[in-house]
Amino acid sequence: MFGFLRTAISTKLLRPFTAPQQHQHAAVTDAVRGMKVRSSVKLMCDKCSFVRRRGRLFVVCSNDPKHKQRQG
């Protein structure tokens, strides 16, 4: 009647202990960079340009992703 319970307990006891593994996506989230949110946005280099999207003013840069900005 309780055969399923016995097999669940026995497989739990027979399985060797393994240490918790690190998440693989942790390194990926550190590499992802957001954008600066400022009250006044400025062009930082020659490749930066202003873009208006959804009623907001953005600065996008094809040269350096650190230059991304949003006004507001």
Side-chain angles (χ1 to χ4, degrees):
M1 180 171 169
F2 295 105
F4 68 92
L5 185 60
R6 187 178 331 121
T7 57
I9 293 172
S10 64
T11 55
K12 188 81 167 176
L13 294 174
L14 295 176
R15 191 175 329 145
F17 174 75
T18 57
Q21 296 179 357
Q22 294 285 338
H23 293 290
Q24 295 295 327
H25 68 281
V28 174
T29 56
D30 293 340
V32 175
R33 190 181 310 270
M35 67 172 53
K36 299 174 181 71
V37 179
R38 296 181 169 171
S39 58
S40 64
V41 293
K42 300 174 186 172
L43 300 178
M44 295 183 164
C45 70
D46 298 340
K47 302 284 183 167
C48 290
S49 60
F50 288 114
V51 178
R52 186 169 290 277
R53 297 178 186 159
R54 301 182 302 273
R56 295 180 188 245
L57 187 63
F58 291 87
V59 173
V60 293
C61 184
S62 59
N63 191 26
D64 193 354
K66 290 181 182 179
H67 294 175
K68 286 196 304 188
Q69 302 169 55
R70 175 176 67 94
Q71 188 174 24

